[in-house]
Each structure stands twice: as C-alpha cells, then as structure tokens.
Amino acid sequence: MQDQENKEVLDQQAGEAPAADATEGATAQAAAPATPSAEPGLEEQLSATEAKLAEMHDAFMRAKAEADNIRRRAQEDVSKAHKFAIESFAEAMVPVRDSLEMAIKVEAPTVESIREGVEMTLKQLTAAFEKNRLVEVMPQAGDKLDPNKHQAVAVVPSEQEANTVVTVLQKGYMIADRLLRPAIVTAAAPK
C-alpha cells in the first residue's frame, strides 16, 4: 500500500515538473523583452555616475591644489619668521651700539663722563631687553634652588637651609618663558 502511495506522489511530481518548466520558460520570456527596455536606464545611470565621478575628481583636484597652496604659504611664512625673528631685537640694539661708538670717540674723557655714558648705555640695553621680553634670572640669597633656572656650581657650608642659594656668581636670562642662560649660583650644603 505504501508503495502505491509513493508511486502516486512520484507521478504527481512528474506531472508538475513540466508545468513548472513551462512557468519558468514563460518567466524567462517575460524577462527577455524587459531587458532591452532596461538598458537605456542602465546607460543613463552609467552616464550620471560618470558625470558625478568627473565632478568629484574635479573637486578633489581643486582641494588638493588649495592644500598645496596653503602648505606653500605656511612654509614661506615660517621661513620669513625665522629670517626676520631677530629684527625687533636688532632695532633695539642699534642705539646701544651708537652710544658705545660715541663713547670711544670722546677725546678727553673724564671718569665722570665715562660713568655717565656707561649708565645711559646700560639704560638703553635694559630697555632693549624689556622690549624683547629678555628677563633677568637673579635669585636672592636664601631663595630655594630651582634647577630649571639656576645652576649650582658649588655647595658650601652655610647657616641657611639646605639647597638654597648662598651667592649669585652670574645672573641668568630668560626669553619669555624659555631659559636662555641659567643663573650660576652656590648652594647651601645640607647640615
């Protein structure tokens, strides 16, 4: 009995197969005429995409050229800044040199006139330093030793607290917040 049912199922499937093939054939034939009418749509999409690609390429090239121009201008600006960075300081130093040259030309200098000229020249030099943010590093005796601003060349016995400045041998200088030369000091030894 079961064999008979299996045979019937196989016969039904065999009968349906040609119908299924016929349906697939009809679908393929229906799709075939649709393909020629779909091609103009694809060509339009392709040309639109190519146009958009050309537009994007143009925008990219313009952006790249602009970036190159900005980089070139920045390099020129940095080059000029390096070349003329000392200009302001040089302008402030020219009067100092003029004063020193005038002092040398005096034929009969007196001690008082030399002292007066040196004081005036020192004032000009101090003004030039201030104008260009060149600041003295001059610690006082008893100040805490700062390794970022002071250089201890000797440790001496002292009544002061350890690691404090005892004497300043040479003052230091800073340009803005950058150390140009540390102050040379002696420091108090630990007790």
Side-chain angles (χ1 to χ4, degrees):
M1 176 118 200
Q2 193 172 10
D3 288 340
Q4 192 176 18
E5 288 176 6
N6 287 340
K7 189 177 180 184
E8 288 176 8
V9 169
L10 288 172
D11 289 340
Q12 286 177 353
Q13 288 177 351
E16 291 175 3
D21 288 342
T23 306
E24 288 175 9
T27 305
Q29 289 174 355
T35 303
S37 65
E39 284 183 25
L42 289 175
E43 288 177 7
E44 290 172 5
Q45 287 178 351
L46 179 62
S47 64
T49 304
E50 287 175 345
K52 191 166 191 167
L53 176 65
E55 181 181 325
M56 294 291 218
H57 180 71
D58 183 54
F60 168 75
M61 293 305 286
R62 289 177 186 272
K64 184 179 176 190
E66 182 65 23
D68 288 343
N69 288 339
I70 290 170
R71 186 179 319 114
R72 182 183 46 77
R73 280 189 228 119
Q75 286 174 343
E76 287 174 1
D77 290 346
V78 168
S79 175
K80 286 179 183 177
H82 285 145
K83 187 175 181 180
F84 299 111
I86 196 166
E87 182 177 11
S88 174
F89 188 67
E91 286 175 354
M93 293 303 294
V94 168
V96 175
R97 181 179 174 130
D98 291 343
S99 294
L100 290 171
E101 288 174 346
M102 286 178 19
I104 291 173
K105 290 181 182 178
V106 174
E107 291 186 22
T110 63
V111 174
E112 292 174 10
S113 67
I114 291 174
R115 180 170 182 83
E116 184 180 324
V118 169
E119 287 174 354
M120 288 175 47
T121 305
L122 183 59
K123 284 181 186 178
Q124 289 177 324
L125 186 61
T126 303
F129 281 10
E130 288 174 0
K131 179 181 176 185
N132 290 282
R133 302 184 311 165
L134 186 61
V135 181
E136 287 183 357
V137 175
M138 185 66 176
Q140 299 298 314
D143 287 353
K144 191 77 175 158
L145 185 68
D146 182 355
N148 295 321
K149 294 181 181 179
H150 310 142
Q151 181 180 354
V153 293
V155 178
V156 295
S158 175
E159 296 298 316
Q160 295 178 184
E161 186 180 326
N163 295 324
T164 57
V165 174
V166 176
T167 57
V168 177
L169 303 174
Q170 185 179 57
K171 58 183 151 183
Y173 290 94
M174 293 183 72
I175 298 177
D177 296 330
R178 181 194 234 172
L179 186 66
L180 179 64
R181 181 180 81 187
I184 308 296
V185 299
T186 58
K191 295 179 183 178

